[in-house]
């Protein structure tokens, strides 16, 4: 039955365009699904590299650039309040405050202050955020420019008609296979480290984005849609490293430079995700490609990504208007009662 299931899963009608069979691609260097299993050691290796990078490069760099954690008020140990904090919630309601004050024999105001300081203790430190942003900046910068170096001389990168020439009998370029594996390993490593990284307000959207990306990479590789897939990945990487750079500048308190870089990021993000991405997917894929099961799956996930791009673009535009229109009058929305970090871009517009 396992063989039967496997054969059913890999049936050529699902993975290849109408009229093509697996026999047609015999003898050419064709993507092998088992190659992608290398993403497991790949992701683990990236996590180790990241750990070493954050300790030996990002941390000393942050210190040298003046990133410093605020001194946080010490919290008096209190078993009653700690029990409530851990089990019932970090922000007690009015009624809870009164009953906790009675139980602890403290004024309500002191109980409120205790909770505020306790939340501050748990908030991620600036240096941790700086190290995370430095790692992502380094990876995205490397993957974008290596992807660009890999694709810019390929005719199909510039002319979408060449993209499908002779498909599916397109031999896999080893460099493209490695590029795919690098991206897949990175997104798998992000999923693994997500629970330990600074938690952002768009945590759920991030998870959806990572799952959609991993699915697209896997499916497009197995169906030999690597030319199209590599272009889509490159368009995605175009703005990411600029955002991470803006975050680093934000943590360094280089306000003006940060604002300038953030506006560059916003322009690149909106052009790449709301103009180039839909154009490429429409031209390369929807109009030029025959519909079959896997291309339908890919279309669905591309739509999910497009909706996320619109959601993030809305946040970014909102922020830029917030910064430009309100300027210094804008109150810091992350008061010390706020325990979660801003979304992907949100923490940049705050404090501006």
């Amino acid at each position: 039955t396992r063989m039967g299931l496997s054969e059913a899963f890999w049936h050529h009608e699902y993975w290849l365009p109408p009229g093509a069979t697996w026999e047609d691609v015999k003898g050419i260097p064709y993507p092998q699904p088992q190659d992608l299993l290398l993403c497991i050691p790949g992701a683990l290796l990236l996590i180790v590299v990241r750990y070493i990078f954050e300790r030996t490069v990002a941390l000393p760099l942050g210190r040298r650039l003046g990133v410093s954690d605020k001194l946080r008020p010490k919290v008096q140990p209190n078993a009653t309040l700690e029990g409530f904090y851990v089990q019932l919630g970090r922000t007690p309601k009015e009624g809870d405050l009164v009953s906790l004050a009675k139980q602890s024999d403290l004024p309500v105001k002191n109980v409120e202050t205790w909770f505020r300081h306790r939340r501050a203790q748990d908030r991620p430190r600036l240096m941790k955020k700086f190290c995370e942003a430095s790692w992502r900046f380094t990876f995205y910068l490397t993957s974008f420019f290596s992807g660009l170096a890999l694709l810019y001389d390929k005719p199909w990168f510039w002319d979408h008609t060449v993209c499908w020439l002779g498909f599916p009998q397109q031999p896999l370029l080893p460099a493209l296979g490695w590029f795919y594996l690098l991206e897949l390993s990175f997104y798998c490593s992000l999923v693994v480290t997500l629970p330990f990284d600074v938690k952002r307000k768009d945590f759920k959207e991030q998870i959806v984005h990572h799952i959609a990306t991993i699915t697209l990479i896997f499916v497009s590789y197995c169906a030999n849609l690597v030319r199209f897939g590599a272009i889509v990945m490159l368009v995605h990487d175009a703005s990411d490293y600029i955002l991470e750079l803006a975050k680093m500048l934000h943590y360094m308190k280089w306000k003006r430079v940060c604002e300038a870089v953030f506006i560059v990021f916003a322009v690149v993000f909106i052009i790449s995700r709301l103009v180039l991405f839909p154009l490429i997917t429409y031209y390369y894929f929807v109009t030029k490609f025959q519909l079959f099961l896997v291309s339908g799956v890919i279309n669905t996930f591309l739509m999910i990504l497009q909706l996320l791009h619109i959601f993030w673009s809305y946040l970014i535009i909102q922020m830029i208007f917030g910064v430009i229109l309100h300027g210094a009058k804008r109150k810091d929305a992350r008061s010390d009662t706020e325990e979660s970090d801003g979304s992907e871009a949100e923490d940049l517009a705050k404090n501006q």
Side-chain angles (χ1 to χ4, degrees), residues 44-72:
L44 292 172
L45 181 66
L46 280 175
I47 292 168
V48 172
V49 170
R50 171 186 167 170
Y51 181 81
I52 296 166
F53 173 86
E54 286 189 4
R55 295 291 170 288
T56 60
V57 179
L59 198 63
L61 181 71
R63 284 188 187 132
R64 185 160 288 186
L65 292 169
V67 177
S68 60
D69 294 315
K70 282 184 200 151
L71 281 172
R72 295 179 175 188

Side-chain angles (χ1 to χ4, degrees), residues 203-261:
F203 182 73
K204 290 190 184 84
E205 288 84 0
Q206 289 282 354
I207 290 173
V208 172
H209 179 271
H210 296 343
I211 290 169
T213 306
I214 289 167
T215 307
L216 278 170
I217 291 173
F218 174 79
V219 171
S220 63
Y221 186 82
C222 295
N224 200 17
L225 300 168
V226 284
R227 292 182 177 185
F228 169 69
I231 294 168
V232 169
M233 288 194 280
L234 196 67
V235 167
H236 265 85
D237 287 345
S239 60
D240 290 336
Y241 66 93
I242 309 173
L243 173 63
E244 299 304 334
L245 177 62
K247 284 187 197 172
M248 288 162 71
L249 293 163
H250 174 64
Y251 304 140
M252 286 153 55
K253 311 262 192 296
W254 291 16
K255 194 166 171 288
R256 289 279 163 260
V257 191
C258 172
E259 279 176 14
V261 171

Side-chain angles (χ1 to χ4, degrees), residues 94-160:
E94 200 63 48
D96 294 325
L97 283 171
V98 174
S99 79
L100 283 166
K102 275 188 192 143
Q103 286 171 49
S104 318
D105 203 19
L106 288 167
V108 174
K109 194 128 202 70
N110 290 21
V111 175
E112 261 184 311
T113 307
W114 188 94
F115 273 92
R116 195 169 68 247
H117 290 172
R118 182 68 184 80
R119 282 193 298 272
Q121 262 192 0
D122 275 1
R123 263 210 319 280
R125 297 190 170 270
L126 215 51
M127 189 56 96
K128 179 173 160 65
K129 293 182 188 176
F130 179 83
C131 290
E132 280 184 21
S134 306
W135 163 248
R136 286 194 298 262
F137 167 75
T138 307
F139 180 86
Y140 288 135
L141 186 79
T142 309
S143 70
F144 176 68
F145 285 100
S146 54
L148 202 58
L150 202 62
L151 299 183
Y152 87 101
D153 62 343
K154 307 288 182 283
W156 44 266
F157 180 60
W158 304 101
D159 179 1
H160 54 260

Side-chain angles (χ1 to χ4, degrees), residues 326-335 349-352:
H326 300 286
K329 291 199 298 283
R330 195 150 189 259
K331 194 173 176 293
D332 178 14
R334 279 182 307 156
S335 67
K350 310 280 167 63
N351 292 353
Q352 301 284 25

Side-chain angles (χ1 to χ4, degrees), residues 306-352:
Q306 191 57 66
L307 291 171
L308 285 170
H309 298 163
I310 293 164
F311 164 74
W312 278 317
S313 298
Y314 165 72
L315 281 185
I316 291 162
I317 291 164
Q318 215 182 14
M319 257 165 260
I320 284 188
F321 278 103
V323 172
I324 293 167
L325 299 178
H326 300 286
K329 291 199 298 283
R330 195 150 189 259
K331 194 173 176 293
D332 178 14
R334 279 182 307 156
S335 67
D336 61 356
T337 57
E338 173 104 26
E339 55 272 354
S340 68
D341 199 13
S343 71
E344 254 311 289
E346 223 168 286
D347 54 354
L348 292 171
K350 310 280 167 63
N351 292 353
Q352 301 284 25

